Amino acid sequence: METQVNKAEKGKKSKSSKLQTDQEDLKGTFVAVLIVGGIILVGWLGVFGLFLDRA
């Protein structure tokens, strides 16, 4: 038979493992945002360079 203390300990463990999984997912999201931002920046600088070259 489970006591309330055992249930509380299990709840804490599942919350901490879920928090760790969420943080790992956010790291991947951050890297993806940096990559997309870099692509946008390189494209913008390329178009700006063409503008300056033709002016």
Side-chain angles (χ1 to χ4, degrees):
M1 205 165 133
E2 278 189 317
T3 63
Q4 289 182 348
V5 174
N6 289 342
K7 288 181 181 179
E9 288 176 3
K10 285 184 180 180
K12 287 181 183 177
K13 289 179 183 176
S14 66
K15 286 181 183 177
S16 65
S17 64
K18 183 179 179 185
L19 181 61
Q20 186 178 16
T21 303
D22 289 346
Q23 288 176 347
E24 290 172 2
D25 291 342
L26 291 178
K27 287 179 185 177
T29 302
F30 180 66
V31 171
V33 167
L34 287 179
I35 291 171
V36 170
I39 291 170
I40 291 171
L41 182 64
V42 168
W44 189 90
L45 289 173
V47 171
F48 186 66
L50 283 173
F51 170 75
L52 290 179
D53 189 44
R54 293 180 182 206

